[in-house]
Structure formats: structure tokens, C-alpha cells
């Protein structure tokens, strides 16, 4: 019995030792800049989740820059948010990297062109923002992390629809302001209130 326990203990010890040696220790450095009105937007919350568990949280620099270290071998959601503004979400999958990669021989980076923040306008359908705007994963053929181009193009199409709705709302707003100013010039307060 003692001999069996000793063999089992040795097996478990060696098994745990081999598992810990094989666990990936690299991180993916995901970076971007957050902008508003064409300028860097500081103080924006950058939160990384694995499922419902918060992994890290930081804020953008005064220039809008941020870098997030995304752990190996997981599925994550990066949330870019600021009170009173539309939230943006990005899916990052760090699974599927070939075995043997370590922080000594693998230093993956992924740079997102930019994240634009804006305040929601009444009458615009922002439901597309409930989805991830980007799906990033390790691309075996490219031997690096990259985005799913077809998915990105689909979401860019959804963002274009939102921008078009915003443009129409702003045109109506500007036309109403102009009509109100004209009514005030004619001392027509009732028309100006409309």
C-alpha cells in the first residue's frame, strides 16, 4: 500500500510539475488610442473581462492611448467606456497558439487603428454596439494575432449605418435651429418654439 501511495505521489508531483512548465507565460499586448472629435480622449475606462470576471482595469492617458496585457490561453472581452458615451466592445481569443511559445520567444502585439467615442443621439439605433466590433485571435497562417477581416468589415458596415442615422438626425436638428432663428427674426415666438 505504501509503495502504491509513493508511486501515486510521484506521478502526481511529476504531472503537476510538467503541467506548470507547459503553461504559457506570454501575454498579448493590445493597444490603441481612443478619440473624440478627432483628438485623443483621456480618462476613458479600459476594462478586460474573462467571462464575467474582471481581469484588469485602467484609463486612457491624456492623449487617449492605452495598452492592455491580455493573458495567454483564454477568451476575453475588452470594454472601452465613458459615462454618457457609447460603449465599444472587442473580443480577443488567445487560445490556439502553438505549444512551446514563451515570453522569451513570443512577444505578440496587436494594435487597433483607433476607437472613436461619441455621445448617443436621440432617435439613432445603436443596437449594433451590443456586439463586439472586432474579433481577434491567433492566425496560424500569418503566425501572429490579427482580426477576423470578414467580421470587421461586417461591423464597419453596421457603424456606417449608425453614422448615416446620426448625420440625418444632425441635419434635422440644424434645419430646426435655422428655422427657429428665422422665426425669431420675424418675432414669431410660436414658430420659433416649434
Amino acid at each position: 500500500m505504501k509503495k502504491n501511495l509513493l508511486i501515486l505521489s510521484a506521478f502526481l508531483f511529476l504531472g503537476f510539475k510538467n503541467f506548470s512548465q507547459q503553461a504559457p507565460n506570454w501575454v498579448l499586448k493590445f493597444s490603441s488610442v481612443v478619440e473624440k472629435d478627432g483628438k485623443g480622449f483621456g480618462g476613458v475606462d479600459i476594462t478586460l473581462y474573462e467571462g464575467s470576471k474582471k481581469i484588469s482595469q485602467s484609463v486612457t492617458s491624456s492623449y487617449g492611448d492605452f495598452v492592455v496585457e491580455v493573458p495567454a490561453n483564454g477568451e476575453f472581452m475588452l470594454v472601452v467606456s465613458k459615462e454618457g458615451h457609447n460603449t465599444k466592445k472587442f473580443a480577443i481569443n488567445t487560445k490556439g497558439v502553438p505549444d512551446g511559445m514563451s515570453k522569451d520567444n513570443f512577444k505578440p502585439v496587436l494594435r487597433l487603428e483607433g476607437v472613436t467615442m461619441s455621445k448617443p443621439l436621440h432617435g439613432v439605433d445603436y443596437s449594433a454596439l451590443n456586439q463586439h466590433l472586432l474579433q481577434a485571435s491567433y492566425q496560424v497562417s500569418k503566425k501572429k494575432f490579427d482580426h477576423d477581416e470578414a467580421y470587421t468589415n461586417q461591423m464597419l458596415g453596421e457603424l456606417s449605418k449608425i453614422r448615416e442615422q446620426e448625420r440625418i438626425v444632425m441635419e434635422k436638428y440644424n434645419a430646426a435651429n435655422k428655422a427657429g432663428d428665422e422665426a425669431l427674426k420675424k418675432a414669431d415666438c410660436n414658430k420659433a418654439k416649434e
Side-chain angles (χ1 to χ4, degrees):
M1 181 72 172
K2 278 186 173 181
K3 183 178 178 184
N4 289 344
L5 284 175
L6 185 61
I7 291 171
L8 180 61
S9 296
F11 176 75
L12 289 173
F13 175 75
L14 291 173
F16 284 128
K17 184 176 178 187
N18 285 338
F19 177 75
S20 65
Q21 288 175 343
Q22 293 175 357
N25 61 1
W26 54 266
V27 295
L28 168 65
K29 291 197 176 190
F30 185 95
S31 64
S32 189
V33 63
V34 178
E35 298 177 337
K36 181 177 178 182
D37 301 326
K39 297 177 184 171
F41 194 23
V44 176
D45 291 321
I46 308 297
T47 311
L48 183 67
Y49 293 93
E50 185 173 22
S52 61
K53 181 182 176 189
K54 187 187 295 184
I55 301 298
S56 68
Q57 185 168 14
S58 60
V59 295
T60 56
S61 72
S62 58
Y63 299 105
D65 297 297
F66 72 88
V67 176
V68 175
E69 291 189 349
V70 184
N73 208 28
E75 294 180 20
F76 303 91
M77 178 174 61
L78 183 75
V79 178
V80 179
S81 61
K82 177 86 170 174
E83 188 175 332
H85 294 74
N86 289 316
T87 296
K88 307 289 175 72
K89 301 174 188 174
F90 305 92
I92 306 168
N93 184 338
T94 57
K95 294 180 177 181
V97 174
D99 291 337
M101 299 298 200
S102 73
K103 65 181 178 182
D104 298 325
N105 65 1
F106 188 57
K107 298 178 184 350
V109 295
L110 184 60
R111 174 98 178 134
L112 180 62
E113 194 77 23
V115 180
T116 302
M117 300 298 283
S118 61
K119 293 185 176 187
L121 298 177
H122 182 70
V124 175
D125 177 12
Y126 291 102
S127 61
L129 297 181
N130 293 328
Q131 301 175 54
H132 299 108
L133 297 178
L134 173 98
Q135 291 181 343
S137 61
Y138 185 77
Q139 307 289 315
V140 176
S141 61
K142 297 178 181 179
K143 297 182 180 177
K144 66 176 188 173
F145 280 92
D146 207 347
H147 66 103
D148 178 328
E149 192 169 343
Y151 183 84
T152 300
N153 289 335
Q154 174 188 338
M155 293 311 296
L156 287 173
E158 294 298 319
L159 291 175
S160 292
K161 291 176 189 175
I162 290 172
R163 277 192 226 97
E164 180 61 16
Q165 290 178 57
E166 288 176 331
R167 185 189 65 74
I168 290 168
V169 166
M170 289 306 296
E171 278 183 3
K172 288 179 181 178
Y173 175 78
N174 291 334
N177 272 343
K178 186 175 180 181
D181 290 344
E182 291 299 318
L184 280 176
K185 288 179 186 176
K186 297 175 183 176
D188 185 349
C189 292
N190 289 332
K191 183 71 173 171
K193 285 180 185 178
E194 286 178 32

